[in-house]
């Protein structure tokens, strides 16, 4: 009686679960084996991210992404690379992207799959931009510092790119002080600035030392436009002191051609066209262009 009751209970339990279990306690049913997992399909891989040429601050630059199955979809981000677009002619093993560099020192690049998985990251060096001034007394190479003075650098590069400085005078030359340019043609005749004044960046840690490049301005702090000067000696009295003594914004330095700067500083000067300290014989910027 005891065994009969146990079997009866097992039968009742199996009956109540019959919709779920095909067999219970030795029944004749059998469960189906699980379906095999589908084989994984191909996926994109990235082996390298490299610049096509040395990156150039403020200019259109290109980077290549190399790997396999890239046509399956990848997402490239590069903060500080404005207007990033994929170039025509990219393939499953190499994709090229172009953008304008607005970041200094290092460009971070991240490549992800279409699903968001990280595939590759890189940090590509961005050299400080350089502008070459070809003057009537020789060539001067200026290296700019966008990390410390981005407004001043971008402003100077805009005027350079526009060709604004070509055939302008060094109109203010004071021995053992500065040489200044960027606002007058021969005569001297004033040349109107083509962009508005920029905010003063004098409190940036850069000093008006010999060979440094800085923005000229009026008595108003935020008034600099196209004019700049090069210090021929250490002029720390021009540095930022306080809000009431804001000084002048240094944004670069001479890296080649300091003897040319000294030669300009040594030319005879006179009063001309209502200006003081104007070279007797014109000293001209024949050409200014960004060379890095």
């Amino acid at each position: 009686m005891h065994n009969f009751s146990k079997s009866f209970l097992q039968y009742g339990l199996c009956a109540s679960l019959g919709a779920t279990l095909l067999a219970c306690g030795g029944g004749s049913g059998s469960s189906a084996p699980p379906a095999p997992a589908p084989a994984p399909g191909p996926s994109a891989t990235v082996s390298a991210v490299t610049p096509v040429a040395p990156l150039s601050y403020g200019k259109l630059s290109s980077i290549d992404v190399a790997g396999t199955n890239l046509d399956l979809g990848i997402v490239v981000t590069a903060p500080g690379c404005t207007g990033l677009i994929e170039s025509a002619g990219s393939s499953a093993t190499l994709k090229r992207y172009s953008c304008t560099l607005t970041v200094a020192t290092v460009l971070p690049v991240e490549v992800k799959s279409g699903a968001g998985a990280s595939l590759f990251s890189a940090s590509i060096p961005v050299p400080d931009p350089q502008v070459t001034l070809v003057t009537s007394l020789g060539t001067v190479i200026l290296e700019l510092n966008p990390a410390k003075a981005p407004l001043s650098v971008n402003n100077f590069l805009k005027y350079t790119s526009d060709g604004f400085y070509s055939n302008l005078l060094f109109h203010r030359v004071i021995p053992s002080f500065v040489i200044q340019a960027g606002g007058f043609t021969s005569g001297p005749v004033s040349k109107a600035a083509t962009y508005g004044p920029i905010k003063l960046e004098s409190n940036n840690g850069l000093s008006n030392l010999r060979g440094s490049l800085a923005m000229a301005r009026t008595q108003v702090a935020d008034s600099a436009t196209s004019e700049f000067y090069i210090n021929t000696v250490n002029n720390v009295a021009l540095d930022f002191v306080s809000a009431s003594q804001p000084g002048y914004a240094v944004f670069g330095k001479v890296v080649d051609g300091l003897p040319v700067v000294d030669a300009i500083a040594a030319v005879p000067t006179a009063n001309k066209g209502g200006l003081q300290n104007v070279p007797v014989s014109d000293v001209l910027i024949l050409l200014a262009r960004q060379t890095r």
Side-chain angles (χ1 to χ4, degrees), residues 30-185:
S30 62
S31 59
S43 58
T45 65
V46 176
S47 57
V49 174
T50 55
V52 175
L55 299 181
S56 185
Y57 178 89
K59 286 191 169 186
L60 190 67
S61 300
S62 298
I63 56 174
D64 280 347
V65 178
T68 61
N69 299 317
L70 300 181
D71 53 341
L72 296 179
I74 59 172
V75 177
V76 178
T77 56
C81 212
T82 303
L84 185 70
I85 58 170
E86 183 179 336
S87 303
S90 294
S91 69
T93 58
L94 185 69
K95 286 186 177 290
R96 179 164 294 179
Y97 296 85
S98 298
C99 60
T100 299
L101 263 293
T102 57
V103 66
T105 310
V106 171
L107 174 68
V109 181
E110 179 76 20
V111 185
K112 294 184 178 181
S113 69
S118 180
L119 300 177
F120 201 92
S121 60
S123 296
I124 304 175
V126 179
D128 284 337
Q130 290 185 349
V131 169
T132 297
L133 299 182
V134 180
T135 81
S136 53
L137 292 184
T139 298
V140 178
I141 299 177
L142 306 170
E143 186 170 277
L144 313 183
N145 194 330
K148 292 291 187 70
L151 299 179
S152 302
V153 168
N154 292 341
N155 177 74
F156 187 74
L157 289 178
K158 284 194 300 184
Y159 280 104
T160 298
S161 177
D162 290 349
F164 182 90
Y165 293 125
S166 294
N167 298 312
L168 293 194
L169 295 171
F170 278 93
H171 64 273
R172 184 176 183 231
V173 170
I174 304 177
S176 300
F177 187 46
V178 302
I179 61 173
Q180 184 171 328
F184 290 85
T185 60

Side-chain angles (χ1 to χ4, degrees), residues 10-19:
Q10 287 179 334
Y11 173 79
L13 179 61
C14 289
S16 66
L17 298 176

Side-chain angles (χ1 to χ4, degrees), residues 3 135 144-145 244 253 258 267 272:
N3 290 339
T135 81
L144 313 183
N145 194 330
S244 60
K253 62 185 178 182
L258 202 51
V267 302
K272 284 187 182 182

